[in-house]
Amino acid sequence: MNTFDPLNLSQKRAVAHLSGPMQVLAGPGSGKTTVIVNRIQYLVTVHHVPASSILVVTFSKAAAREMKERFLEKGVLYARQVTFGTFHSIFFGILKHAYGLRGDQILREDQRREFLKQLIGKYMPDLVDDKDLQEDISREISLVKGNGIQPENYHSAGCPDQAFQDIFRGYVERCRQERLLDFDDMLVYCYDLLRQREDIRMGWQQRFLYVLVDEFQDINVIQYQTIRMLAGYGDNLFIVGDDDQSIYRFRGARPELMLDFTKNYPRAEQVLLDVNYRCSGQILKASQNMIGHNRRRFSKKITTPNPAGDPVRILEFEDPRQQALYVLKGIQKWQEAGGDTRQTAVLFRTRKEGGQLAGMLVEYQIPFYMRDRLPNIYEHWIARDLIAYIRLALGPKMSRQDFLRVMNRPNRYISREAVCEKEVHMETLRVFYDDREWMWDRIDEMEGHLKRLESMPPYAAVNYIRHAVGYEGYLKEYAKIRGMDPQDLSELADQIQESARGFEDFTRWQAHMDDYTEQLKEQAARMEKKPQGVTLSTLHSAKGLEYDKVWILDVNEGTIPYKKAKLEAEIEEERRLFYVGMTRARKELVLCHVRRQYGKEMERSQFLDEI
């Protein structure tokens, strides 16, 4: 049997804990996985706890697999009898045992999308093609289920409340009709089962005498209540997490559950893993200074045995393009110096911020790996609208498909019945409306706009469509229907317009769009394989990873912290998210902000002043 790993004093204290509840505060790079693996070994080999009575729960398959592999490497007798799994796999196993459920009764993701698309088409037909709306509603359904909220008590951020309630109930009913469970149902049904059936609850409590939970700061209400029932026999609940890294409130995570753990378990012991083995002294100090501005947190004093290293660099750029060019050159210099690009990462707040740099890396043939599927902005419905206008203008023939797409964006009151042929002719439209001459003015105006667009380069054409044709007004009306901030749509249009800058004609811009789309497809295929090249990632997806050098882009007010964060609790979550990004860096950290974006003045982030 292998010996225990070398441990510091706080790690030893956590590992040696035997009975009753314990809360382990594990900051970035503090060796939490080492603690969990060694604690299991300690229970089995020193206290002779049966391996089959130990349950280890985490949030991802990858984390569960890594933990299990590291434990098996220790060669502990009966090691394979320890149960490792995600919340979903453990809870589904309990349901399977009770009800005989099968794997084919789990709702597939494509089925979920189709159910939601049909319901959006029923209750919000004008928005049926909006994939962002579909994703928003899907996420909100999970949030409502995972926190036991009644839909009538939930205020949707993605659509009118009544529409959300209708879609939610329609979705639940459809799943019942098809006898399917989604991932959130696994949590809810398992909770209901253990709460209602004392015999089943006691059976599982006696099976799992020791329960260990990783990444506890990400837990939601239903998960927490179910885990408490499972660990109810002796309250041998060992939780590991970092309240400073709770960044998934939008998915339903409730950091207050970790903060209030000792209220539910007054006799719980608490230990702080107070050594960061990852970051340089300068990076650790900067990140600790910044996160210390959060009020609702456990106070911590973290040290590191690592050298102080270089100071954290804060750089200002004129605009996002100059920022991206600087990062591009930095990656090239890293390569030329013989550095491994796999040890570098560029982080951003949302997926759309990575698009410009990804385009440059494609252009300069620098390999990169995306942690997230970057949204192809050219496939967004706004881009398809703008491109349809330009194609109609360039002719020589106007396709019915393009015309139908934009004929009422903005609204011109043109009926689909007026557009019957594969090719559209303005004269035919005039004939259709020969008894309504007031419509001729609208047709004439549209025809005039298309003629003016014909000679414009792409950047000017997009600008003209938005501000002269009236497309920007249409976006405001659309945002009103969705109940969203019109600025969100306007910024997407800004990004599309900016991407057209520098292309002399539509043919060249289209070639760039095709090339970029193809590269994204190849990247998506590579996401399933071993990472190669520099990593591009959102701050959320970078959690748990580490790199020698990290750039964080757009550290500006409105981006980091995000513009939707208004309340103090929301600002604190944004600060935690930035903290996660900063602590991905081992040796070098560069924080970038811009003066202007899309012609507008930008303010540097308040978080930079806190460093």
Side-chain angles (χ1 to χ4, degrees):
M1 184 182 74
N2 293 342
T3 58
F4 291 92
D5 295 317
L7 303 171
N8 62 39
L9 288 176
S10 58
Q11 290 174 330
K12 286 178 180 177
R13 184 181 161 203
V15 167
H17 175 77
L18 176 60
S19 302
M22 171 170 256
Q23 181 181 58
V24 179
L25 303 178
S30 62
K32 68 180 180 66
T33 302
T34 297
V35 165
I36 292 172
V37 168
N38 279 271
R39 170 169 161 75
I40 304 168
Q41 181 183 6
Y42 192 84
L43 288 173
V44 174
T45 61
V46 177
H47 291 288
H48 308 293
V49 171
S52 60
S53 69
I54 299 173
L55 171 65
V56 184
V57 188
T58 190
F59 280 83
S60 71
K61 290 181 181 178
R65 183 169 57 249
E66 179 196 358
M67 215 169 286
K68 182 175 182 178
E69 288 172 354
R70 285 183 58 174
F71 178 63
L72 292 177
E73 286 172 1
K74 289 183 165 291
V76 176
L77 196 63
Y78 305 118
R80 293 190 179 276
Q81 293 183 10
V82 175
T83 300
F84 293 85
T86 64
F87 281 96
H88 291 101
S89 66
I90 299 300
F91 291 2
F92 182 73
I94 292 173
L95 292 172
K96 184 179 179 181
H97 190 272
Y99 299 126
L101 295 177
R102 306 183 309 275
D104 61 4
Q105 289 179 276
I106 299 174
L107 182 72
R108 301 191 312 271
E109 188 57 35
D110 61 319
Q111 291 175 306
R112 182 180 176 98
R113 286 195 297 267
E114 184 57 32
F115 289 178
L116 290 176
K117 184 176 180 180
Q118 291 174 9
L119 288 162
I120 292 170
K122 179 178 180 180
Y123 294 107
M124 305 178 73
D126 293 339
L127 310 183
V128 70
D129 292 329
D130 190 339
K131 291 183 179 179
D132 290 342
L133 172 62
Q134 195 178 111
E135 290 181 9
D136 289 346
I137 291 177
S138 179
R139 183 174 62 249
E140 290 190 321
I141 287 173
S142 293
L143 192 151
V144 167
K145 286 185 175 184
N147 285 288
I149 302 170
Q150 294 300 316
E152 58 269 19
N153 297 330
Y154 178 75
H155 176 65
S156 172
C159 64
D161 289 345
Q162 187 59 55
F164 175 78
Q165 292 168 26
D166 291 337
I167 292 169
F168 180 93
R169 293 191 179 95
Y171 171 78
V172 170
E173 182 58 31
R174 180 69 184 276
C175 289
R176 284 176 180 165
Q177 289 174 355
E178 303 285 344
R179 300 181 64 81
L180 294 170
L181 282 77
D182 65 15
F183 281 93
D184 305 299
D185 291 331
M186 295 180 198
L187 310 181
V188 175
Y189 291 176
C190 186
Y191 165 73
D192 288 340
L193 173 68
L194 296 182
R195 183 170 55 89
Q196 295 165 8
R197 291 287 301 273
E198 183 181 5
D199 57 331
I200 293 176
R201 181 174 70 250
M202 290 182 64
W204 287 104
Q205 287 174 345
Q206 292 168 9
R207 160 78 187 277
F208 295 127
L209 300 176
Y210 290 84
V211 180
L212 297 82
V213 183
D214 187 25
E215 301 285 8
F216 191 82
Q217 74 279 349
D218 295 332
I219 205 164
N220 67 30
V221 171
I222 294 293
Q223 290 167 335
Y224 183 41
Q225 291 173 343
T226 308
I227 283 294
R228 290 192 68 189
M229 285 191 283
L230 282 176
Y233 188 76
D235 282 344
N236 294 322
L237 180 57
F238 184 90
I239 69 165
V240 183
D242 182 8
D243 56 302
D244 288 334
Q245 295 188 76
S246 180
I247 58 174
Y248 295 116
R249 183 177 285 275
F250 70 98
R251 292 183 187 169
R254 291 292 174 262
E256 57 269 21
L257 295 174
M258 184 166 193
L259 291 167
D260 295 338
F261 183 75
T262 53
K263 292 181 181 178
N264 292 318
Y265 294 94
R267 66 187 186 95
E269 293 187 46
Q270 186 185 79
V271 64
L272 168 65
L273 303 186
D274 55 359
V275 181
N276 179 315
Y277 294 100
R278 176 189 302 159
C279 302
S280 70
Q282 292 276 11
I283 293 171
L284 178 64
K285 181 181 178 181
S287 63
Q288 289 296 304
N289 285 345
M290 193 271 305
I291 196 62
H293 283 76
N294 272 3
R295 296 181 182 179
R296 188 90 163 96
R297 65 185 290 265
F298 291 114
S299 180
K300 307 175 187 71
K301 185 175 180 180
I302 310 293
T303 62
T304 180
N306 298 329
D310 296 329
V312 174
R313 299 173 69 193
I314 299 175
L315 302 178
E316 183 179 64
F317 298 91
E318 182 61 31
D319 55 39
R321 179 172 177 79
Q322 294 303 315
Q323 174 185 248
L325 282 170
Y326 172 82
V327 175
L328 176 71
K329 291 176 182 177
I331 295 169
Q332 290 175 323
K333 287 180 182 178
W334 183 275
Q335 284 181 310
E336 291 165 3
D340 184 354
T341 54
R342 289 175 298 181
Q343 294 304 320
T344 63
V346 184
L347 310 182
F348 30 85
R349 175 60 180 82
T350 66
R351 292 182 300 167
K352 67 180 182 180
E353 276 109 48
Q356 187 169 47
L357 179 61
M360 288 184 178
L361 294 175
V362 168
E363 184 178 349
Y364 284 85
Q365 298 183 327
I366 294 175
F368 64 97
Y369 172 78
M370 298 183 301
R371 289 284 299 171
D372 311 79
R373 292 184 184 273
L374 284 183
N376 187 347
I377 194 167
Y378 303 122
E379 292 179 350
H380 193 278
W381 60 266
I382 293 177
R384 295 203 300 269
D385 287 353
L386 296 169
I387 291 167
Y389 263 115
I390 295 173
R391 280 203 297 255
L392 290 173
L394 294 178
K397 298 174 181 178
M398 294 194 297
S399 78
R400 181 175 184 268
Q401 183 179 2
D402 284 341
F403 193 84
L404 286 173
R405 180 166 198 93
V406 300
M407 67 183 186
N408 287 315
R409 299 183 177 187
N411 198 356
R412 300 180 179 91
Y413 300 97
I414 300 174
S415 169
R416 292 179 69 93
E417 296 174 0
V419 188
C420 300
E421 305 297 326
K422 288 184 179 180
E423 294 177 13
V424 179
H425 301 277
M426 292 299 189
E427 197 55 44
T428 305
L429 286 177
R430 292 188 183 93
V431 171
F432 183 87
Y433 289 108
D434 62 354
D435 59 338
R436 283 166 279 180
E437 290 191 11
W438 56 273
M439 282 295 297
W440 290 15
D441 292 338
R442 300 174 187 274
I443 296 167
D444 290 344
E445 183 183 47
M446 185 177 185
E447 186 174 30
H449 285 318
L450 293 175
K451 285 181 178 178
R452 293 184 191 94
L453 284 169
E454 187 177 356
S455 59
M456 293 181 184
Y459 182 89
V462 172
N463 188 63
Y464 184 85
I465 295 164
R466 292 177 66 190
H467 301 292
V469 175
Y471 189 76
E472 201 71 18
Y474 165 74
L475 292 181
K476 290 179 181 177
E477 287 297 317
Y478 186 94
K480 187 176 180 181
I481 296 172
R482 277 271 321 257
M484 63 187 296
D485 185 350
Q487 188 64 26
D488 291 344
L489 299 180
S490 186
E491 287 180 1
L492 272 167
D494 284 337
Q495 191 177 357
I496 296 161
Q497 183 174 332
E498 187 63 30
S499 76
R501 189 188 292 274
F503 292 99
E504 296 177 7
D505 54 48
F506 181 70
T507 301
R508 289 182 173 85
W509 190 34
Q510 183 67 64
H512 166 77
M513 289 188 278
D514 292 342
D515 187 36
Y516 183 68
T517 299
E518 190 58 35
Q519 288 289 335
L520 284 186
K521 289 179 181 177
E522 292 178 8
Q523 283 292 335
R526 284 199 288 268
M527 283 179 71
E528 307 300 325
K529 302 176 183 177
K530 190 175 180 180
Q532 296 292 331
V534 60
T535 295
L536 304 188
S537 174
T538 61
L539 293 170
H540 282 102
S541 294
K543 187 167 176 288
L545 305 176
E546 55 187 78
Y547 305 89
D548 284 347
K549 182 167 185 175
V550 171
W551 293 267
I552 303 182
L553 305 186
D554 299 310
V555 190
N556 289 87
E557 289 294 312
T559 305
I560 303 174
Y562 198 51
K563 60 189 175 184
K564 292 182 179 179
K566 306 292 184 185
L567 304 175
E568 183 179 1
E570 295 169 336
I571 294 294
E572 291 208 350
E573 175 132 339
E574 290 293 310
R575 191 177 280 111
R576 292 194 294 269
L577 183 59
F578 189 46
Y579 174 74
V580 166
M582 292 178 69
T583 53
R584 297 312 93 198
R586 288 190 286 253
K587 299 176 181 178
E588 293 183 58
L589 176 62
V590 184
L591 308 176
C592 306
H593 63 100
V594 298
R595 293 193 192 97
R596 297 176 65 81
Q597 185 177 40
Y598 310 131
K600 301 168 189 171
E601 294 291 334
M602 300 293 290
E603 182 182 353
R604 69 182 246 154
S605 172
Q606 59 185 290
F607 298 159
L608 295 178
D609 298 326
E610 298 169 357
I611 289 174

